[in-house]
Every structure is written in C-alpha cells, then in structure tokens.
Amino acid sequence: MKLLLHACCGPCSLYPAAVLREEGEEISLFFSNANIHPYREWKARKNALEQVALEDGIPLLIDRDYPLESFLSGALAADKRCHYCYGLRLRAAAACGIAQKADGFTTTLLVSPYQDHEAIAAIGHAVGKELGIPFLYRDFRPGFRWGQGEAERRGLYRQKYCGCVFSERDRFQKVKKNGMAKSR
C-alpha cells in the first residue's frame, strides 16, 4: 500500500516510518505545519525531517507555505484549537495524498502521548471520507521513547512543545482555573 505520512517533525517520524516500512508499506513523508511558531522553529523541524528523509531514503514533500495569520485566526475562532490544528494538517495531508495517488494517509501525531488520539482519529476519518482517501489510524505511542532516543542518537533537533504559539506560552505559564496566568 502507498501511504502518505504527515510528519510534524523528524523525531516523531522515526518510529511510524520504521514500522510502516517494516510492514512493507511504501511511504512518503509530508511536512505541512502552519501551526509551528516562530518561523525559525518551523525551519528547524523541517530541517530535521529533511535529515531523516535523506538518511532513511524516504521521499519527502514539503508544503513551503507558512500561513501563520490564517492559522492564528482559525485557531482563535475555534472552540478547540488543537482540533482545528489537527483538521488543518490532516486536510492538507489528505489532499497531498490524493495528488500523489496514495492509497491512504496517516500522521506522526499518533506517536505522541501528549496528543488527543481520539480526536485525531475522528478528524482523520472524517477528512478522509469527505475527500475520498482512507485515513489509517495506528497507535504508534509504544514507540515514542524509542523514537526520542533514536533522534538523540542521530543528533536531530528535538523540540520542547507542540509548535504553536499557544503551546509555547503554556510551557512557560501555569494557567490557574480562574484564567489568570502565573509566570514560572
């Protein structure tokens, strides 16, 4: 089966790519992450993914558009900004998968224990049904630590937050129940 694997970064791509290739899947990596801020962070993650693609001989497609304003306005208007973000990236992956004549698509977001797997699966399946390309849900979380160790061994850039400006802010502030933030 020919699969398009949406990749948020190099480290998170390692385990899903290894598993899928071991199972005989023909994969291509796809980098489309308008959520990542600042631009230098976006570039560092893209560069790490390029390193993985080169070292492992995996085709890589890169969406070089960086529509930060569009992402921010959509995320701010959304009831659940993470769900908005998942939808944005999975829709881009599905469209790219169709253009590449892939049999299906999936995402490296599914390797992270910090992501909402139920939401990713529901959104992925809905987008896939709408656009006419199957979404492959796989729980890649068992390989998260292996991937992080492998990334360290390879000297890949490893980030400390999901990528969006909201996540970066939350990293440095503890938000109280009343909505007031306390700096660390």
Side-chain angles (χ1 to χ4, degrees):
M1 185 154 88
K2 185 176 176 183
L3 285 175
L4 186 85
L5 176 58
H6 165 265
C8 57
C9 62
C12 288
S13 71
L14 293 170
Y15 183 76
V19 167
L20 293 169
R21 291 175 85 191
E22 188 175 287
E23 293 172 354
E25 307 296 357
E26 179 186 337
I27 66 166
S28 293
L29 295 168
F30 176 57
F31 184 81
S32 180
N33 298 290
N35 62 303
I36 299 173
H37 178 79
Y39 180 74
R40 69 180 171 273
E41 179 72 20
W42 180 91
K43 197 168 182 181
R45 293 181 193 208
K46 177 191 69 70
N47 292 346
L49 186 61
E50 287 175 326
Q51 180 181 338
V52 169
L54 182 64
E55 289 176 359
D56 293 356
I58 303 172
L60 172 61
L61 302 149
I62 299 173
D63 179 355
R64 296 191 184 279
D65 194 20
Y66 187 66
L68 179 63
E69 295 83 358
S70 175
F71 167 74
L72 290 173
S73 64
L76 288 168
D79 288 335
K80 295 183 177 181
R81 69 174 183 255
C82 292
H83 293 194
Y84 168 78
C85 185
Y86 298 151
L88 185 71
R89 295 190 281 169
L90 292 174
R91 182 170 296 285
C96 184
I98 290 168
Q100 296 297 312
K101 298 184 181 5
D103 299 309
F105 73 106
T106 191
T107 179
T108 63
L109 294 170
L110 296 170
V111 78
S112 174
Y114 306 108
Q115 300 296 332
D116 183 344
H117 278 238
E118 287 182 20
I120 294 167
I123 293 166
H125 287 300
V127 165
K129 184 176 181 180
E130 178 188 337
L131 298 183
I133 183 169
F135 176 72
L136 173 68
Y137 173 80
R138 290 287 292 277
D139 186 353
F140 292 118
R141 287 176 288 195
F144 178 74
R145 294 285 171 227
W146 177 86
Q148 294 298 302
E150 180 66 8
E152 186 175 356
R153 186 187 71 74
R154 291 187 188 200
L156 292 175
Y157 171 75
R158 295 182 326 166
Q159 62 277 4
K160 301 201 180 344
Y161 63 106
C162 86
C164 79
V165 68
F166 308 108
S167 174
E168 184 180 27
R169 176 204 57 205
D170 294 349
R171 206 177 123 206
F172 293 105
Q173 295 180 334
K174 184 174 182 175
V175 178
K176 296 179 183 180
K177 289 185 181 184
N178 66 4
M180 299 297 291
K182 179 181 178 184
S183 294
R184 290 185 187 183

